[in-house]
Amino acid sequence: MYKSIRIIRIIVALCAMAAPTVALVAGYESVFSHMQFMMAVLSGAAFWLVAWTLITFIYGRIYCSTVCPLGTLQDCVSAVGKRFPPRRGYRFRPDRPGMRLFFLGLVLVCMMAGWAVIPSVLDPYSAYARMVEEFVVRPLGRCGEGVRYSLASFSVAAATALVVIGIAWHRGRLLCNTLCPVGALLGIVAYRSVLHPDINTDLCINCGECERVCKSECIDLTQHTVDTSRCVVCFNCMAACPNNAITYRSGNHQLRTPLMQPADPKLTLNEP
């Protein structure tokens, strides 16, 4: 079942990336651009802000795995990177919440101060749109009249592309869980999401397949836990598990055989 869900998610994500790309090349507005989280924040579109907050609270970071075009671009890069030697899988790495909160706070401060440069650089959709405009729209000559070549804009787009490709090639979604303000904000909501990946310790055989395909590097097999604040709900781990030990559900798995609890010392002492 999860293999089919994963394929459907990939198809939806590719369509969600293709739609705004075509709109940017053709030069018209797309609903996919208006529904992007940071664009909704900047434009004050309360509907999409509330919608994505509720969706994330229920389903986790579905936005990051299906709607964000920069996230899908990273998935494409990491998928290609895994086909070249050395074919190393991912592994669990501890979270760095301080870094996420720092960049989120930096973006919020800049927005309140009216400085749009840093938010536009760190916003995933703006970064993706900038790369499309500089590497696709401009070479095709689709820029509007009076729009001149900007070395600064091209340099920012080129630097963004190098960072995105370089990090995604080796570390998957690391960028989404460190520098991205949208990922940081949605991660706070997703930490207590209703539906989330859960590991059944009765079925887990510690083969490590889920950890090797987790591009968010958030599956800790030593504790059999998934960091839902970093998980982008890609269903890779569930599709790869050979024993159906990891599922997408509400609540947490309860052991069939409870662990032995230490006896009460008062009951074990022999009274004189």
Side-chain angles (χ1 to χ4, degrees):
M1 178 182 70
Y2 288 115
K3 291 182 179 179
S4 299
I5 294 176
R6 175 177 174 272
I7 293 174
I8 294 173
R9 183 203 64 77
I10 292 174
I11 294 174
V12 172
L14 290 174
C15 292
M17 182 176 70
T21 303
V22 172
L24 288 169
V25 174
Y28 64 84
E29 293 290 331
S30 169
V31 66
F32 284 93
S33 63
H34 294 292
M35 66 190 296
Q36 300 299 323
F37 192 86
M38 188 61 74
M39 298 298 290
V41 172
L42 295 175
S43 63
F47 172 79
W48 287 113
L49 290 177
V50 174
W52 285 123
T53 301
L54 291 176
I55 290 172
T56 304
F57 177 72
I58 297 173
Y59 300 104
R61 289 171 58 179
I62 290 289
Y63 169 89
C64 300
S65 63
T66 56
V67 178
C68 178
L70 189 66
T72 303
L73 176 62
Q74 292 176 75
D75 290 345
C76 294
V77 171
S78 61
V80 174
K82 293 303 174 185
R83 296 181 179 274
F84 288 85
R87 298 183 179 182
R88 293 190 296 263
Y90 302 109
R91 62 183 178 87
F92 171 75
R93 298 176 190 269
D95 187 19
R96 296 180 179 178
M99 182 176 293
R100 286 189 292 170
L101 294 177
F102 170 78
F103 283 103
L104 175 60
L106 178 63
V107 168
L108 293 177
V109 170
C110 290
M111 290 174 61
M112 289 186 292
W115 302 332
V117 176
I118 292 179
S120 66
V121 170
L122 295 179
D123 169 36
Y125 180 76
S126 298
Y128 179 80
R130 188 179 301 108
M131 289 188 290
V132 172
E133 290 172 356
E134 294 297 328
F135 303 144
V136 180
V137 177
R138 194 177 297 278
L140 291 176
R142 294 296 186 89
C143 294
E145 296 183 2
V147 178
R148 296 182 178 181
Y149 172 78
S150 171
L151 179 60
S153 181
F154 179 83
S155 300
V156 172
T160 302
L162 290 175
V163 171
V164 170
I165 293 174
I167 294 179
W169 187 276
H170 297 286
R171 296 286 302 276
R173 287 297 192 100
L174 176 64
L175 194 66
C176 301
N177 289 318
T178 52
L179 302 182
C180 179
V182 177
L185 194 57
L186 294 182
I188 296 174
V189 180
Y191 183 71
R192 296 291 184 184
S193 60
V194 177
L195 298 175
H196 54 82
D198 180 66
I199 300 176
N200 185 332
T201 50
D202 289 324
L203 298 177
C204 180
I205 58 177
N206 287 315
C207 64
E209 286 300 315
C210 59
E211 186 178 1
R212 278 189 284 272
V213 300
C214 179
K215 56 198 175 189
S216 294
E217 299 180 323
C218 64
I219 298 179
D220 184 2
L221 283 182
T222 60
Q223 301 294 329
H224 291 93
T225 57
V226 180
D227 185 354
T228 54
S229 68
R230 289 188 289 162
C231 174
V232 295
V233 197
C234 63
F235 296 99
N236 284 0
C237 57
M238 303 165 208
C241 181
N243 211 37
N244 298 319
I246 183 166
T247 55
Y248 184 59
R249 50 167 288 174
S250 61
N252 296 312
H253 170 73
Q254 300 295 325
L255 290 173
R256 293 178 184 174
T257 305
L259 297 175
M260 296 296 293
Q261 299 295 325
D264 190 341
K266 296 181 181 179
L267 299 180
T268 58
L269 293 175
N270 294 323
E271 297 182 1

